[in-house]
mmCIF file of all heavy atoms in Angstrom:
data_model
loop_
_atom_site.group_PDB
_atom_site.id
_atom_site.type_symbol
_atom_site.label_atom_id
_atom_site.label_comp_id
_atom_site.label_asym_id
_atom_site.label_seq_id
_atom_site.Cartn_x
_atom_site.Cartn_y
_atom_site.Cartn_z
ATOM 1 N N LEU O 17 90.996 112.581 97.985
ATOM 2 C CA LEU O 17 91.445 111.688 99.042
ATOM 3 C C LEU O 17 91.041 112.216 100.412
ATOM 4 O O LEU O 17 90.603 111.477 101.295
ATOM 5 C CB LEU O 17 92.953 111.506 98.956
ATOM 6 C CG LEU O 17 93.620 110.680 100.068
ATOM 7 C CD1 LEU O 17 93.074 109.276 100.104
ATOM 8 C CD2 LEU O 17 95.142 110.673 99.865
ATOM 9 N N GLU O 18 91.170 113.543 100.600
ATOM 10 C CA GLU O 18 90.810 114.145 101.898
ATOM 11 C C GLU O 18 89.342 113.960 102.200
ATOM 12 O O GLU O 18 88.960 113.644 103.332
ATOM 13 C CB GLU O 18 91.192 115.613 101.900
ATOM 14 C CG GLU O 18 90.905 116.296 103.235
ATOM 15 C CD GLU O 18 91.198 117.801 103.215
ATOM 16 O OE1 GLU O 18 91.416 118.354 102.135
ATOM 17 O OE2 GLU O 18 91.212 118.383 104.314
ATOM 18 N N THR O 19 88.490 114.172 101.198
ATOM 19 C CA THR O 19 87.053 114.081 101.480
ATOM 20 C C THR O 19 86.616 112.643 101.753
ATOM 21 O O THR O 19 85.761 112.448 102.615
ATOM 22 C CB THR O 19 86.220 114.652 100.294
ATOM 23 O OG1 THR O 19 86.595 113.996 99.092
ATOM 24 C CG2 THR O 19 86.425 116.131 100.164
ATOM 25 N N TRP O 20 87.240 111.664 101.068
ATOM 26 C CA TRP O 20 86.874 110.275 101.399
ATOM 27 C C TRP O 20 87.375 109.933 102.808
ATOM 28 O O TRP O 20 86.689 109.207 103.560
ATOM 29 C CB TRP O 20 87.480 109.327 100.374
ATOM 30 C CG TRP O 20 87.015 109.513 98.969
ATOM 31 C CD1 TRP O 20 87.763 109.375 97.837
ATOM 32 C CD2 TRP O 20 85.689 109.844 98.480
ATOM 33 N NE1 TRP O 20 87.022 109.627 96.705
ATOM 34 C CE2 TRP O 20 85.721 109.895 97.098
ATOM 35 C CE3 TRP O 20 84.484 110.108 99.142
ATOM 36 C CZ2 TRP O 20 84.622 110.207 96.306
ATOM 37 C CZ3 TRP O 20 83.343 110.435 98.362
ATOM 38 C CH2 TRP O 20 83.432 110.464 96.983
ATOM 39 N N ALA O 21 88.538 110.439 103.176
ATOM 40 C CA ALA O 21 89.041 110.196 104.536
ATOM 41 C C ALA O 21 88.128 110.882 105.582
ATOM 42 O O ALA O 21 87.853 110.302 106.626
ATOM 43 C CB ALA O 21 90.457 110.675 104.673
ATOM 44 N N ASP O 22 87.689 112.108 105.270
ATOM 45 C CA ASP O 22 86.739 112.789 106.153
ATOM 46 C C ASP O 22 85.460 111.935 106.339
ATOM 47 O O ASP O 22 84.972 111.774 107.453
ATOM 48 C CB ASP O 22 86.362 114.138 105.570
ATOM 49 C CG ASP O 22 87.444 115.192 105.800
ATOM 50 O OD1 ASP O 22 88.220 115.092 106.758
ATOM 51 O OD2 ASP O 22 87.488 116.143 105.007
ATOM 52 N N LEU O 23 84.955 111.431 105.211
ATOM 53 C CA LEU O 23 83.715 110.661 105.266
ATOM 54 C C LEU O 23 83.910 109.369 106.038
ATOM 55 O O LEU O 23 83.093 108.998 106.887
ATOM 56 C CB LEU O 23 83.227 110.391 103.855
ATOM 57 C CG LEU O 23 81.841 109.722 103.714
ATOM 58 C CD1 LEU O 23 80.760 110.581 104.367
ATOM 59 C CD2 LEU O 23 81.511 109.477 102.257
ATOM 60 N N TYR O 24 85.023 108.700 105.789
ATOM 61 C CA TYR O 24 85.312 107.466 106.521
ATOM 62 C C TYR O 24 85.448 107.731 108.020
ATOM 63 O O TYR O 24 84.996 106.949 108.852
ATOM 64 C CB TYR O 24 86.583 106.830 105.982
ATOM 65 C CG TYR O 24 87.064 105.641 106.796
ATOM 66 C CD1 TYR O 24 86.296 104.492 106.870
ATOM 67 C CD2 TYR O 24 88.250 105.725 107.532
ATOM 68 C CE1 TYR O 24 86.711 103.395 107.658
ATOM 69 C CE2 TYR O 24 88.698 104.646 108.317
ATOM 70 C CZ TYR O 24 87.910 103.500 108.352
ATOM 71 O OH TYR O 24 88.319 102.423 109.124
ATOM 72 N N GLY O 25 86.014 108.884 108.376
ATOM 73 C CA GLY O 25 86.151 109.238 109.796
ATOM 74 C C GLY O 25 84.824 109.383 110.484
ATOM 75 O O GLY O 25 84.715 109.177 111.697
ATOM 76 N N VAL O 26 83.766 109.698 109.724
ATOM 77 C CA VAL O 26 82.427 109.843 110.280
ATOM 78 C C VAL O 26 81.696 108.501 110.296
ATOM 79 O O VAL O 26 81.080 108.118 111.300
ATOM 80 C CB VAL O 26 81.611 110.880 109.488
ATOM 81 C CG1 VAL O 26 80.158 110.927 110.006
ATOM 82 C CG2 VAL O 26 82.250 112.262 109.612
ATOM 83 N N THR O 27 81.748 107.781 109.165
ATOM 84 C CA THR O 27 80.888 106.600 109.010
ATOM 85 C C THR O 27 81.569 105.285 109.406
ATOM 86 O O THR O 27 80.870 104.342 109.799
ATOM 87 C CB THR O 27 80.446 106.463 107.546
ATOM 88 O OG1 THR O 27 81.590 106.142 106.713
ATOM 89 C CG2 THR O 27 79.791 107.762 107.050
ATOM 90 N N GLY O 28 82.906 105.206 109.259
ATOM 91 C CA GLY O 28 83.582 103.944 109.508
ATOM 92 C C GLY O 28 83.254 102.886 108.465
ATOM 93 O O GLY O 28 83.556 101.692 108.632
ATOM 94 N N SER O 29 82.643 103.296 107.357
ATOM 95 C CA SER O 29 82.189 102.353 106.326
ATOM 96 C C SER O 29 83.370 101.760 105.575
ATOM 97 O O SER O 29 84.313 102.454 105.165
ATOM 98 C CB SER O 29 81.279 103.073 105.356
ATOM 99 O OG SER O 29 81.105 102.329 104.176
ATOM 100 N N GLY O 30 83.325 100.445 105.325
ATOM 101 C CA GLY O 30 84.345 99.796 104.542
ATOM 102 C C GLY O 30 84.409 100.314 103.125
ATOM 103 O O GLY O 30 85.490 100.377 102.536
ATOM 104 N N ALA O 31 83.255 100.695 102.554
ATOM 105 C CA ALA O 31 83.244 101.252 101.202
ATOM 106 C C ALA O 31 83.968 102.581 101.156
ATOM 107 O O ALA O 31 84.695 102.871 100.189
ATOM 108 C CB ALA O 31 81.804 101.428 100.721
ATOM 109 N N HIS O 32 83.825 103.376 102.195
ATOM 110 C CA HIS O 32 84.483 104.673 102.221
ATOM 111 C C HIS O 32 85.989 104.503 102.454
ATOM 112 O O HIS O 32 86.795 105.268 101.905
ATOM 113 C CB HIS O 32 83.859 105.564 103.289
ATOM 114 C CG HIS O 32 82.403 105.810 103.049
ATOM 115 N ND1 HIS O 32 81.513 106.116 104.041
ATOM 116 C CD2 HIS O 32 81.684 105.768 101.889
ATOM 117 C CE1 HIS O 32 80.311 106.272 103.521
ATOM 118 N NE2 HIS O 32 80.376 106.058 102.222
ATOM 119 N N LEU O 33 86.387 103.510 103.244
ATOM 120 C CA LEU O 33 87.813 103.173 103.367
ATOM 121 C C LEU O 33 88.384 102.729 102.036
ATOM 122 O O LEU O 33 89.520 103.083 101.691
ATOM 123 C CB LEU O 33 88.019 102.133 104.450
ATOM 124 C CG LEU O 33 89.473 101.684 104.675
ATOM 125 C CD1 LEU O 33 90.352 102.869 105.090
ATOM 126 C CD2 LEU O 33 89.522 100.594 105.733
ATOM 127 N N GLU O 34 87.613 101.971 101.295
ATOM 128 C CA GLU O 34 88.079 101.500 99.982
ATOM 129 C C GLU O 34 88.279 102.697 99.049
ATOM 130 O O GLU O 34 89.213 102.693 98.226
ATOM 131 C CB GLU O 34 87.058 100.514 99.377
ATOM 132 C CG GLU O 34 87.396 100.017 97.996
ATOM 133 C CD GLU O 34 88.723 99.263 97.930
ATOM 134 O OE1 GLU O 34 89.188 98.772 98.952
ATOM 135 O OE2 GLU O 34 89.291 99.172 96.807
ATOM 136 N N LEU O 35 87.404 103.709 99.110
ATOM 137 C CA LEU O 35 87.623 104.903 98.308
ATOM 138 C C LEU O 35 88.939 105.615 98.693
ATOM 139 O O LEU O 35 89.636 106.154 97.847
ATOM 140 C CB LEU O 35 86.439 105.861 98.433
ATOM 141 C CG LEU O 35 85.209 105.495 97.657
ATOM 142 C CD1 LEU O 35 84.027 106.377 98.049
ATOM 143 C CD2 LEU O 35 85.463 105.603 96.149
ATOM 144 N N VAL O 36 89.266 105.617 99.981
ATOM 145 C CA VAL O 36 90.556 106.154 100.422
ATOM 146 C C VAL O 36 91.688 105.375 99.737
ATOM 147 O O VAL O 36 92.632 105.984 99.196
ATOM 148 C CB VAL O 36 90.706 106.073 101.934
ATOM 149 C CG1 VAL O 36 92.152 106.422 102.384
ATOM 150 C CG2 VAL O 36 89.683 106.979 102.643
ATOM 151 N N ARG O 37 91.596 104.075 99.718
ATOM 152 C CA ARG O 37 92.633 103.253 99.048
ATOM 153 C C ARG O 37 92.728 103.562 97.558
ATOM 154 O O ARG O 37 93.803 103.680 96.993
ATOM 155 C CB ARG O 37 92.315 101.770 99.250
ATOM 156 C CG ARG O 37 92.139 101.344 100.692
ATOM 157 C CD ARG O 37 93.465 101.042 101.350
ATOM 158 N NE ARG O 37 93.257 100.479 102.672
ATOM 159 C CZ ARG O 37 93.599 101.079 103.817
ATOM 160 N NH1 ARG O 37 94.174 102.279 103.770
ATOM 161 N NH2 ARG O 37 93.407 100.521 104.968
ATOM 162 N N ARG O 38 91.586 103.653 96.922
ATOM 163 C CA ARG O 38 91.572 103.878 95.464
ATOM 164 C C ARG O 38 92.132 105.229 95.082
ATOM 165 O O ARG O 38 92.742 105.389 94.028
ATOM 166 C CB ARG O 38 90.159 103.685 94.911
ATOM 167 C CG ARG O 38 89.645 102.261 94.990
ATOM 168 C CD ARG O 38 88.198 102.143 94.520
ATOM 169 N NE ARG O 38 87.691 100.791 94.736
ATOM 170 C CZ ARG O 38 86.442 100.410 94.481
ATOM 171 N NH1 ARG O 38 85.581 101.295 93.985
ATOM 172 N NH2 ARG O 38 86.064 99.174 94.663
ATOM 173 N N TYR O 39 91.892 106.237 95.921
ATOM 174 C CA TYR O 39 92.345 107.585 95.601
ATOM 175 C C TYR O 39 93.709 107.911 96.195
ATOM 176 O O TYR O 39 94.108 109.061 96.234
ATOM 177 C CB TYR O 39 91.293 108.614 96.025
ATOM 178 C CG TYR O 39 90.187 108.739 94.988
ATOM 179 C CD1 TYR O 39 89.154 107.819 94.914
ATOM 180 C CD2 TYR O 39 90.247 109.781 94.037
ATOM 181 C CE1 TYR O 39 88.163 107.939 93.951
ATOM 182 C CE2 TYR O 39 89.275 109.886 93.070
ATOM 183 C CZ TYR O 39 88.234 108.978 93.020
ATOM 184 O OH TYR O 39 87.278 109.085 92.030
ATOM 185 N N ASP O 40 94.435 106.903 96.622
ATOM 186 C CA ASP O 40 95.831 107.044 97.070
ATOM 187 C C ASP O 40 96.699 107.199 95.815
ATOM 188 O O ASP O 40 96.856 106.268 95.047
ATOM 189 C CB ASP O 40 96.164 105.788 97.848
ATOM 190 C CG ASP O 40 97.580 105.824 98.442
ATOM 191 O OD1 ASP O 40 98.507 106.379 97.790
ATOM 192 O OD2 ASP O 40 97.760 105.274 99.543
ATOM 193 N N ARG O 41 97.261 108.414 95.633
ATOM 194 C CA ARG O 41 98.055 108.675 94.409
ATOM 195 C C ARG O 41 99.469 108.137 94.546
ATOM 196 O O ARG O 41 100.418 108.878 94.830
ATOM 197 C CB ARG O 41 98.058 110.166 94.062
ATOM 198 C CG ARG O 41 98.541 110.434 92.666
ATOM 199 C CD ARG O 41 98.631 111.917 92.353
ATOM 200 N NE ARG O 41 99.275 112.109 91.052
ATOM 201 C CZ ARG O 41 99.816 113.239 90.625
ATOM 202 N NH1 ARG O 41 99.753 114.307 91.413
ATOM 203 N NH2 ARG O 41 100.385 113.329 89.461
ATOM 204 N N ARG O 42 99.644 106.862 94.286
ATOM 205 C CA ARG O 42 100.893 106.188 94.613
ATOM 206 C C ARG O 42 102.071 106.673 93.784
ATOM 207 O O ARG O 42 103.208 106.729 94.277
ATOM 208 C CB ARG O 42 100.705 104.683 94.461
ATOM 209 C CG ARG O 42 99.631 104.127 95.349
ATOM 210 C CD ARG O 42 99.439 102.618 95.191
ATOM 211 N NE ARG O 42 98.267 102.152 95.918
ATOM 212 C CZ ARG O 42 97.877 100.900 95.974
ATOM 213 N NH1 ARG O 42 98.551 99.980 95.311
ATOM 214 N NH2 ARG O 42 96.784 100.546 96.657
ATOM 215 N N ARG O 43 101.857 106.967 92.521
ATOM 216 C CA ARG O 43 102.988 107.454 91.695
ATOM 217 C C ARG O 43 103.642 108.671 92.318
ATOM 218 O O ARG O 43 104.864 108.797 92.285
ATOM 219 C CB ARG O 43 102.496 107.785 90.281
ATOM 220 C CG ARG O 43 102.125 106.574 89.458
ATOM 221 C CD ARG O 43 101.550 106.995 88.109
ATOM 222 N NE ARG O 43 101.170 105.850 87.312
ATOM 223 C CZ ARG O 43 100.479 105.941 86.180
ATOM 224 N NH1 ARG O 43 100.082 107.130 85.722
ATOM 225 N NH2 ARG O 43 100.170 104.851 85.511
ATOM 226 N N PHE O 44 102.850 109.568 92.838
ATOM 227 C CA PHE O 44 103.363 110.792 93.464
ATOM 228 C C PHE O 44 103.872 110.502 94.868
ATOM 229 O O PHE O 44 105.011 110.867 95.228
ATOM 230 C CB PHE O 44 102.239 111.822 93.500
ATOM 231 C CG PHE O 44 102.567 113.099 94.204
ATOM 232 C CD1 PHE O 44 103.779 113.724 94.075
ATOM 233 C CD2 PHE O 44 101.607 113.691 95.033
ATOM 234 C CE1 PHE O 44 104.068 114.935 94.737
ATOM 235 C CE2 PHE O 44 101.889 114.883 95.702
ATOM 236 C CZ PHE O 44 103.113 115.468 95.551
ATOM 237 N N PHE O 45 103.074 109.807 95.664
ATOM 238 C CA PHE O 45 103.437 109.552 97.044
ATOM 239 C C PHE O 45 104.729 108.717 97.182
ATOM 240 O O PHE O 45 105.602 108.998 98.011
ATOM 241 C CB PHE O 45 102.291 108.878 97.779
ATOM 242 C CG PHE O 45 101.065 109.749 97.965
ATOM 243 C CD1 PHE O 45 99.858 109.182 98.383
ATOM 244 C CD2 PHE O 45 101.107 111.120 97.736
ATOM 245 C CE1 PHE O 45 98.740 109.960 98.564
ATOM 246 C CE2 PHE O 45 99.982 111.889 97.922
ATOM 247 C CZ PHE O 45 98.792 111.317 98.326
ATOM 248 N N ASP O 46 104.824 107.663 96.368
ATOM 249 C CA ASP O 46 105.997 106.773 96.451
ATOM 250 C C ASP O 46 107.263 107.530 96.085
ATOM 251 O O ASP O 46 108.327 107.294 96.672
ATOM 252 C CB ASP O 46 105.797 105.559 95.548
ATOM 253 C CG ASP O 46 104.738 104.598 96.076
ATOM 254 O OD1 ASP O 46 104.297 104.795 97.245
ATOM 255 O OD2 ASP O 46 104.341 103.687 95.361
ATOM 256 N N ALA O 47 107.172 108.424 95.083
ATOM 257 C CA ALA O 47 108.341 109.191 94.690
ATOM 258 C C ALA O 47 108.793 110.104 95.799
ATOM 259 O O ALA O 47 110.000 110.285 96.040
ATOM 260 C CB ALA O 47 108.048 110.011 93.436
ATOM 261 N N LEU O 48 107.852 110.693 96.540
ATOM 262 C CA LEU O 48 108.217 111.508 97.696
ATOM 263 C C LEU O 48 108.920 110.687 98.767
ATOM 264 O O LEU O 48 109.928 111.094 99.337
ATOM 265 C CB LEU O 48 106.963 112.155 98.308
ATOM 266 C CG LEU O 48 106.359 113.352 97.569
ATOM 267 C CD1 LEU O 48 105.009 113.702 98.157
ATOM 268 C CD2 LEU O 48 107.288 114.563 97.613
ATOM 269 N N LEU O 49 108.409 109.481 99.021
ATOM 270 C CA LEU O 49 108.996 108.608 100.029
ATOM 271 C C LEU O 49 110.414 108.168 99.642
ATOM 272 O O LEU O 49 111.232 107.883 100.501
ATOM 273 C CB LEU O 49 108.102 107.392 100.270
ATOM 274 C CG LEU O 49 106.776 107.675 100.955
ATOM 275 C CD1 LEU O 49 105.907 106.412 101.000
ATOM 276 C CD2 LEU O 49 106.982 108.216 102.369
ATOM 277 N N GLU O 50 110.674 108.123 98.337
ATOM 278 C CA GLU O 50 112.018 107.779 97.843
ATOM 279 C C GLU O 50 112.971 108.977 97.916
ATOM 280 O O GLU O 50 114.162 108.807 97.598
ATOM 281 C CB GLU O 50 111.927 107.249 96.413
ATOM 282 C CG GLU O 50 111.222 105.919 96.289
ATOM 283 C CD GLU O 50 110.849 105.589 94.844
ATOM 284 O OE1 GLU O 50 111.300 106.337 93.926
ATOM 285 O OE2 GLU O 50 110.155 104.604 94.638
ATOM 286 N N GLY O 51 112.460 110.149 98.306
ATOM 287 C CA GLY O 51 113.337 111.310 98.432
ATOM 288 C C GLY O 51 113.551 112.069 97.146
ATOM 289 O O GLY O 51 114.441 112.935 97.089
ATOM 290 N N ARG O 52 112.764 111.783 96.123
ATOM 291 C CA ARG O 52 112.956 112.470 94.836
ATOM 292 C C ARG O 52 112.224 113.806 94.838
ATOM 293 O O ARG O 52 111.190 113.959 95.488
ATOM 294 C CB ARG O 52 112.429 111.581 93.685
ATOM 295 C CG ARG O 52 113.263 110.374 93.397
ATOM 296 C CD ARG O 52 112.881 109.724 92.085
ATOM 297 N NE ARG O 52 111.757 108.794 92.291
ATOM 298 C CZ ARG O 52 110.751 108.650 91.436
ATOM 299 N NH1 ARG O 52 110.672 109.401 90.354
ATOM 300 N NH2 ARG O 52 109.793 107.763 91.661
ATOM 301 N N ASP O 53 112.784 114.775 94.125
ATOM 302 C CA ASP O 53 112.118 116.070 93.913
ATOM 303 C C ASP O 53 111.111 115.911 92.780
ATOM 304 O O ASP O 53 111.472 116.028 91.630
ATOM 305 C CB ASP O 53 113.125 117.174 93.604
ATOM 306 C CG ASP O 53 112.450 118.524 93.363
ATOM 307 O OD1 ASP O 53 111.237 118.632 93.561
ATOM 308 O OD2 ASP O 53 113.132 119.443 92.934
ATOM 309 N N VAL O 54 109.882 115.674 93.152
ATOM 310 C CA VAL O 54 108.814 115.547 92.143
ATOM 311 C C VAL O 54 107.938 116.772 92.150
ATOM 312 O O VAL O 54 106.774 116.726 91.719
ATOM 313 C CB VAL O 54 107.987 114.270 92.352
ATOM 314 C CG1 VAL O 54 108.696 113.034 91.901
ATOM 315 C CG2 VAL O 54 107.567 114.141 93.816
ATOM 316 N N LEU O 55 108.497 117.903 92.629
ATOM 317 C CA LEU O 55 107.718 119.128 92.705
ATOM 318 C C LEU O 55 108.176 120.169 91.688
ATOM 319 O O LEU O 55 107.316 120.785 91.027
ATOM 320 C CB LEU O 55 107.812 119.731 94.120
ATOM 321 C CG LEU O 55 107.389 118.846 95.281
ATOM 322 C CD1 LEU O 55 107.342 119.702 96.556
ATOM 323 C CD2 LEU O 55 106.056 118.183 95.049
ATOM 324 N N THR O 56 109.474 120.359 91.520
ATOM 325 C CA THR O 56 109.945 121.464 90.672
ATOM 326 C C THR O 56 109.279 121.442 89.308
ATOM 327 O O THR O 56 109.242 120.411 88.619
ATOM 328 C CB THR O 56 111.473 121.370 90.505
ATOM 329 O OG1 THR O 56 112.103 121.483 91.789
ATOM 330 C CG2 THR O 56 112.005 122.465 89.607
ATOM 331 N N ASN O 57 108.724 122.603 88.928
ATOM 332 C CA ASN O 57 108.026 122.815 87.670
ATOM 333 C C ASN O 57 106.733 122.043 87.518
ATOM 334 O O ASN O 57 106.183 121.902 86.427
ATOM 335 C CB ASN O 57 108.956 122.508 86.458
ATOM 336 C CG ASN O 57 110.103 123.532 86.342
ATOM 337 O OD1 ASN O 57 109.924 124.684 86.699
ATOM 338 N ND2 ASN O 57 111.243 123.064 85.851
#
């Protein structure tokens, strides 16, 4: 996700922004936003 964001920051390409969207790990990120401990172990 970081490398696609880096690339999009340089090119501004819609395809590279789409890769940012696709590599957004929602299962993990959404659980963090809900305040759950999804880290232990």
Side-chain angles (χ1 to χ4, degrees):
L17 175 60
E18 181 183 13
T19 54
W20 299 143
D22 282 335
L23 187 58
Y24 172 66
V26 174
T27 68
S29 164
H32 300 155
L33 178 60
E34 178 61 22
L35 282 171
V36 171
R37 305 277 187 246
R38 292 175 186 178
Y39 277 82
D40 183 323
R41 194 183 173 198
R42 300 180 188 181
R43 288 176 181 171
F44 175 42
F45 293 167
D46 290 349
L48 284 171
L49 291 174
E50 291 167 8
R52 289 191 275 141
D53 178 7
V54 283
L55 304 189
T56 299
N57 292 328

